[in-house]
Amino acid sequence: MAVPEDVVRKMNLIDICIDDHEEVPEPPDHAAELWSEEQIRQYFESGGISDGFPTPENVNMTATTQRSAEELRASYPDPPEDEFKKWFPGLQRSKTSVDSPRMRLVCFTNAGNEENVFTTEGVGARRVSGLLEWCRTNMVEILAVQLPGRGARIKEPFITTVPEVAKATLQVLGSKLIDTPYCIMAHSVGTWNSFGLLTLLREEGFPPPLKCFFSCFPSPDIPQDIRPWKPNRTLPDPEFMDEARGWDVNEVVFREDMWKQFSPLMRHDFYLFDEFQFTQGDNPPFHFPITTFFATNDKKVSQEMVKGWSKFSTKEFKCHEIQGHHLFVMGLQEQKPAKEAWYSIVTLELDTVICAI
């Protein structure tokens, strides 16, 4: 059997590190298969510390819980059509809906935003079509999650905890992830909503995603005392506006007429990451590749914070630089090249994923 490309790359990295750190004991035989490249580097740089790194024992914990397709379909039947459209209103608009998709791309957007950041190309100078064009060409459905409290769901109560987001999303989404391969793509707090969903998917015995793309947010285990934001619960409006500006929210949002619309949405969405409690420290890492992104002009989230995601996978981990600020995903003015670069990297890596299906 041929050795997977990522394992060969990690074997070569281990050989290089052994030469550079002769005083460090060689890592265990399973390192090339189960550790990420970042974990391999950490092992040698720390002098041989591997506490919390994947082992055959804790990785096997994930395999024993996977349920059969029949069991999953019994627990997660197809939802009513109107309910599905509420949660994924952009599927038809994106023109990626097909009868038998080769793969699905599940997307979570940033705080204060709607799913259309993924399911529309934008118009005029803001048009960025790379992701949707790729999906249409490759018969990949985009399922971008529309949480309550926005768009056509504006009258519905907000969901304010990550576990509740995961549970409600999976009830509608679950049947789509049983027989069709999928990847996950998320930006900002959407990465923590994704993490909640991934944790629940594993607990429920679903097949794992083929790959995840997380941009511009710390790993969920970041200690509360170094989280790069102020909890918004007690902030008066002027201070909350300043906090939002730190996330590069467009100044037009702070106009009086616009603020009445966006303030409740942003406060509730910020609450998701303000109040999040990481309780999965004893869980083994996931067993799929993770690609992350950090923005060079991000006022809140640093490269090191984003690289914390490396601990959450036994597979390949990447961290790409994007020349832009935190909300480059909006593609506004000078941020358009950043969004184009983001889409370009994602679609190039998806090429490799879909070729392997």
Side-chain angles (χ1 to χ4, degrees), residues 5-6 14 39 50 59 66 87-88 96 116 123 136 138 160 175 177 191 199 213-214 223 259 272 295 299 315 350 355:
E5 182 180 340
D6 66 316
I14 289 172
Q39 287 168 334
S50 61
V59 168
Q66 191 160 319
W87 282 83
F88 302 99
T96 63
N116 59 13
V123 296
R136 293 166 189 150
N138 290 280
T160 55
S175 64
L177 306 183
T191 65
T199 301
F213 300 91
F214 297 147
W259 188 242
L272 285 167
K299 301 182 185 74
K315 289 289 191 176
L350 285 174
C355 284

Side-chain angles (χ1 to χ4, degrees), residues 123-172:
V123 296
R126 288 184 58 189
R127 186 173 185 270
V128 180
S129 59
L131 182 64
L132 288 177
E133 285 184 356
W134 185 90
C135 288
R136 293 166 189 150
T137 299
N138 290 280
M139 297 180 63
V140 173
E141 283 190 338
I142 285 193
L143 296 181
V145 178
Q146 181 81 313
L147 295 177
R150 67 214 73 212
R153 308 189 71 182
I154 195 166
K155 294 183 179 180
E156 297 181 47
F158 292 100
I159 302 177
T160 55
T161 73
V162 167
E164 289 173 343
V165 168
K167 184 177 180 180
T169 302
L170 188 57
Q171 287 298 320
V172 183

Side-chain angles (χ1 to χ4, degrees), residues 216-233:
C216 295
F217 218 61
S219 55
D221 62 336
I222 185 172
Q224 286 193 323
D225 59 349
I226 62 171
R227 291 179 178 182
W229 57 78
K230 295 179 181 178
N232 85 89
R233 187 193 308 117

Side-chain angles (χ1 to χ4, degrees), residues 65 67-80 167-176 178 200-201 203-206:
T65 60
R67 296 156 68 189
S68 70
E70 291 74 18
E71 290 176 311
L72 289 171
R73 278 192 287 270
S75 298
Y76 292 91
D78 286 326
K167 184 177 180 180
T169 302
L170 188 57
Q171 287 298 320
V172 183
L173 177 65
S175 64
K176 307 297 182 183
I178 297 171
L200 185 57
L201 284 166
E203 291 173 357
E204 290 294 295
F206 276 80

Side-chain angles (χ1 to χ4, degrees), residues 38 219 302-309:
E38 187 67 21
S219 55
S302 69
Q303 178 182 9
E304 285 306 309
M305 292 174 184
V306 173
K307 288 174 71 174
W309 285 100

Side-chain angles (χ1 to χ4, degrees), residues 224-298:
Q224 286 193 323
D225 59 349
I226 62 171
R227 291 179 178 182
W229 57 78
K230 295 179 181 178
N232 85 89
R233 187 193 308 117
T234 60
L235 292 180
D237 258 14
E239 290 186 41
F240 182 59
M241 288 180 179
D242 287 341
E243 183 66 20
R245 288 185 176 97
W247 294 103
D248 295 299
V249 171
N250 193 299
E251 199 65 26
V252 70
V253 170
F254 305 113
R255 290 188 342 214
E256 184 176 357
D257 58 329
M258 298 289 284
W259 188 242
K260 289 179 181 179
Q261 173 187 348
F262 280 97
S263 176
L265 172 57
M266 292 174 63
R267 279 197 184 270
H268 282 89
D269 280 0
F270 279 34
Y271 196 86
L272 285 167
F273 57 80
D274 283 350
E275 304 300 322
F276 176 77
Q277 300 288 327
F278 179 72
T279 59
Q280 292 81 28
D282 294 332
N283 289 350
F286 296 114
H287 203 47
F288 48 77
I290 295 177
T291 290
T292 60
F293 302 84
F294 72 96
T296 54
N297 298 324
D298 198 317

